[in-house]
Amino acid sequence: MRIPSIYLETTIFNFPFVDDSPQYKSDTLRLFAEIKTGKFKPFTSEYVKRELEDTKDTEKLAKMTALISDYDITVLPSNIEAEQLADLYVSAGVIPEKYSTDAFHIAVATIAGLDCIVSLNFKHIVKHKTILETEYINAREGFKRIFIHTPAEVIGYEE
């Protein structure tokens, strides 16, 4: 059976360390547990690493960045093709220019041919409009469909 490739957006590195969203924390911790067992092939990007570096709490920053090495997460580099695709999302009004890094997340995962983006960013990524319009742009530009889900939508639940 083929192992799904998933892109972990910045919010996924934050939620294991929050106390005010127990369900999101639980789902995210379960996602990391399933990554550890080999259920998913995890990826992230230089864009995520840059966003994580904005964290003021140095202890939390160390924990979040440690997840990348602890779970053997492949870091995709920024590249011109992803930036051009992200620019298409922004110019089409899918994602506001002020939040163009969110467009980069979708673009870099698309360019890499990954199966799914996992995010808890409900403002600009896990959003019906974003899913539909990025799918349209990706198809128009010759890329395969990339699914966008929350951790709860991709993890397994014990019966």
Side-chain angles (χ1 to χ4, degrees):
M1 183 169 90
R2 193 176 78 74
I3 299 171
S5 57
I6 61 172
Y7 178 89
L8 305 177
E9 183 267 337
T10 312
T11 56
I12 300 305
F13 294 92
N14 181 55
F15 275 89
F17 309 106
V18 300
D19 294 320
D20 59 347
S21 297
Q23 188 59 52
Y24 292 145
K25 179 177 183 172
S26 174
D27 291 344
T28 305
L29 289 172
R30 178 71 185 260
L31 175 66
F32 277 107
E34 290 185 7
I35 288 169
K36 192 63 111 177
T37 67
K39 182 177 178 181
F40 300 106
K41 184 168 178 161
F43 292 83
T44 197
S45 71
E46 288 295 329
Y47 302 108
V48 168
K49 288 180 73 174
R50 287 182 208 156
E51 283 188 305
L52 292 178
E53 290 169 5
D54 290 339
T55 303
K56 304 293 184 239
D57 180 338
T58 56
E59 185 178 320
K60 184 176 181 181
L61 173 60
K63 290 177 183 178
M64 290 189 301
T65 55
L67 292 170
I68 295 170
S69 57
D70 292 349
Y71 289 85
D72 197 25
I73 299 169
T74 301
V75 179
L76 300 169
S78 56
N79 62 68
I80 296 297
E81 194 175 14
E83 290 178 11
Q84 291 171 339
L85 185 57
D87 286 345
L88 290 177
Y89 301 152
V90 171
S91 65
V94 179
I95 295 179
E97 187 171 356
K98 181 178 178 181
Y99 300 100
S100 61
T101 301
D102 293 338
F104 293 139
H105 294 306
I106 299 168
V108 76
T110 298
I111 298 295
L114 304 183
D115 297 310
C116 179
I117 296 167
V118 182
S119 174
L120 286 164
N121 177 336
F122 297 108
K123 279 190 170 182
H124 305 117
I125 297 178
V126 185
K127 185 176 176 180
H128 185 70
K129 173 188 173 187
T130 303
I131 292 167
L132 290 179
E133 293 186 22
T134 57
E135 185 176 323
Y136 170 77
I137 292 168
N138 289 349
R140 184 187 73 203
E141 298 300 314
F143 296 103
K144 76 172 191 148
R145 180 178 188 192
I146 187 160
F147 293 88
I148 299 176
H149 293 296
T150 66
E153 294 172 308
V154 297
I155 61 174
Y157 287 95
E158 294 176 7
E159 300 291 321

